[in-house]
Amino acid sequence: MTVIVKTHINKYIEKLSESAERVFTALAYENPELWWIGNYQILIYQTAVENKYNLLFLTLPEGSIFENYSPVTISEYSKRIENVKNEIMDQISNQTLTTDYAIMRFVHDYLIIKIQYILDESLDHIRTVYGALVDNICVCEGYAEAFQYIVSKYGINCIIARSSTHEWNFVQMNDKWYIVDVTYDDPIKKGINKPQGSADNLQTQYFLIGTNHKFKNGNRYSDESDHVLVYSAYSDLIIIDYPEIESSDYIPSELEIEELNLIDLSNIITVFNNNNNNNNNNNNNNNNNNYYYYYYYYYYFPYLHI
C-alpha cells in the first residue's frame, strides 16, 4: 500500500500505530475464526518521491506462533473448525432447539464436556478456537472464542471480554447484556482435572449472570480480580468500549426452561471407570463448594518496525 504523508512522519506513525491497534483489537475480539492472527507488524518505507511511503501490514510476522503455517495449512485448519461447528449445529437442529437460551446452554455444556483445560505452551492452539473445537484442549481463550464463534451463527450478539489474566463472554438477551464464563463453569474440583468427555464438573454458576451475582463461596462477580476488564488486546490504552452489564441474572421464560429438557449430550459423554467415579463422587460430597479455578497469564506483543 502506498500512502501520501502530509504531516510530520512521526505524527503519522503515532496515529497509524493507534489506528492499527484499534483494527487488530477488533479482529481479536470479534473474529475468533481468524485464529492465526495474534501479533502483527507494520512496515513503512520511504520512497524516492517526497512524502510518499510504502506501507505493509504483516499478520504472521517473525516470532508469531503460526509464522510457518502456509495459506494451505491455515485453510485446512479452518475447514476442520468449520466441520466441527457444522456438527454442533446439526445436533442443535436435530434436538429442535429454537430459543437463544437453550442454544447457548447446549453450546456451553458441549464445550465443558468436550474440552480439557490444559496449559501447555508447547501446544500451538491452546489459545484458539481450533484448540477448543478440534483438539479439545485449550485455556480460557479457546472456551470463550469457541462459544462466541458458534452462538454468533444463530444471530446471537456475543462478544469477547478480557482481563489481564482471563477471557470470557458478554451476551445480549432481550436488549440487555449478561455474563457467560464457560471456563469458570468447567472447574478443577478437589485438584482433579476432569478428562475430555466428562460431565462430572459441569456447572452453570457463570451462565447468563449479572454483576451482582453471588456465588456459593460468598463472593460476587464484581469483586473478582480475574474479571476486571482491559480495553485493548495489545496495551493498557482504552481502545474499545464494553456494553453496560445487567446487575441481576437473566431470568429464562417458561419456553426457554422447557427447551432445556430437550438437550441431550449423551453421545459425547464418556463413561469412565466406576471406581474412579465413586471416589470422585465421595470427594465431591465431602465438600461440594470447594472449587479450584484455572489461572493463566497471556501477553500479546505487537511488533511495530519503522
Side-chain angles (χ1 to χ4, degrees):
M1 176 191 303
T2 301
V3 295
I4 304 296
V5 179
K6 296 182 179 181
T7 62
H8 191 281
I9 186 61
N10 289 340
K11 288 185 177 180
Y12 176 80
I13 290 172
E14 182 180 351
K15 199 168 185 180
L16 174 65
S17 299
E18 181 178 342
S19 297
E21 186 172 348
R22 291 184 184 278
V23 170
F24 281 93
T25 292
L27 287 175
Y29 276 58
E30 298 177 7
N31 300 276
E33 67 275 15
L34 303 179
W35 50 267
W36 64 93
I37 297 179
N39 297 348
Y40 63 91
Q41 187 176 60
I42 304 172
L43 303 177
I44 185 167
Y45 304 97
Q46 187 170 8
T47 68
V49 180
E50 185 178 4
N51 296 329
K52 195 172 185 179
Y53 295 84
N54 289 329
L55 185 62
L56 180 65
F57 289 89
L58 301 180
T59 57
L60 289 172
E62 183 179 354
S64 119
I65 294 174
F66 306 113
E67 65 173 307
N68 295 320
Y69 281 48
S70 69
V72 172
T73 300
I74 290 173
S75 178
E76 289 176 351
Y77 276 52
S78 295
K79 184 62 178 177
R80 294 174 195 172
I81 294 170
E82 186 178 2
N83 289 341
V84 176
K85 180 262 295 179
N86 290 337
E87 291 172 4
I88 294 172
M89 294 183 72
D90 285 344
Q91 291 187 55
I92 290 172
S93 177
N94 292 337
Q95 295 183 27
T96 64
L97 304 179
T98 61
T99 65
D100 291 349
Y101 184 83
I103 290 168
M104 285 193 290
R105 178 61 185 275
F106 181 97
V107 176
H108 168 279
D109 293 2
Y110 175 97
L111 294 175
I112 290 172
I113 293 169
K114 290 287 287 186
I115 295 172
Q116 185 173 24
Y117 185 105
I118 293 179
L119 176 55
D120 183 346
E121 298 294 355
S122 69
L123 303 175
D124 286 350
H125 293 280
I126 58 169
R127 293 189 171 93
T128 71
V129 66
Y130 186 93
L133 295 182
V134 181
D135 291 339
N136 300 138
I137 295 173
C138 65
V139 295
C140 61
E141 287 156 306
Y143 285 84
E145 292 171 20
F147 184 82
Q148 180 198 34
Y149 172 65
I150 297 169
V151 304
S152 65
K153 303 304 178 184
Y154 292 92
I156 298 171
N157 199 0
C158 175
I159 65 175
I160 294 294
R162 277 182 175 166
S163 71
S164 62
T165 59
H166 190 49
E167 184 170 302
W168 66 105
N169 301 102
F170 293 148
V171 178
Q172 189 177 34
M173 293 285 283
N174 299 331
D175 298 322
K176 297 180 179 179
W177 287 87
Y178 299 90
I179 300 149
V180 175
D181 193 331
V182 184
T183 310
Y184 269 35
D185 275 342
D186 188 12
I188 295 174
K189 286 187 176 181
K190 300 293 188 177
I192 299 174
N193 189 357
K194 296 295 182 178
Q196 297 170 358
S198 172
D200 290 347
N201 60 334
L202 191 159
Q203 60 185 42
T204 57
Q205 286 200 73
Y206 286 84
F207 184 71
L208 292 175
I209 64 170
T211 56
N212 283 341
H213 183 89
K214 190 173 183 179
F215 302 104
K216 294 178 180 179
N217 59 10
N219 294 336
R220 295 184 186 276
Y221 168 88
S222 56
D223 298 327
E224 294 180 327
S225 60
D226 278 335
H227 290 116
V228 176
L229 293 166
V230 295
Y231 296 85
S232 170
Y234 299 94
S235 73
D236 58 0
L237 296 176
I238 298 177
I239 296 296
I240 62 164
D241 294 321
Y242 290 102
E244 183 178 354
I245 308 301
E246 290 295 299
S247 59
S248 301
D249 298 352
Y250 179 77
I251 300 176
S253 66
E254 290 185 9
L255 173 61
E256 289 170 332
I257 294 173
E258 287 175 5
E259 279 206 343
L260 293 184
N261 296 324
L262 300 176
I263 295 176
D264 180 9
L265 290 164
S266 59
N267 64 313
I268 64 168
I269 296 176
T270 302
V271 178
F272 295 96
N273 183 281
N274 288 333
N275 291 331
N276 290 337
N277 285 338
N278 289 336
N279 290 336
N280 292 340
N281 289 335
N282 289 336
N283 287 336
N284 291 339
N285 290 335
N286 289 336
N287 187 352
N288 289 327
N289 295 330
N290 191 3
Y291 298 106
Y292 296 84
Y293 294 106
Y294 310 109
Y295 297 90
Y296 80 99
Y297 291 85
Y298 70 90
Y299 299 92
Y300 286 90
F301 297 105
Y303 292 85
L304 179 58
H305 286 190
I306 302 298

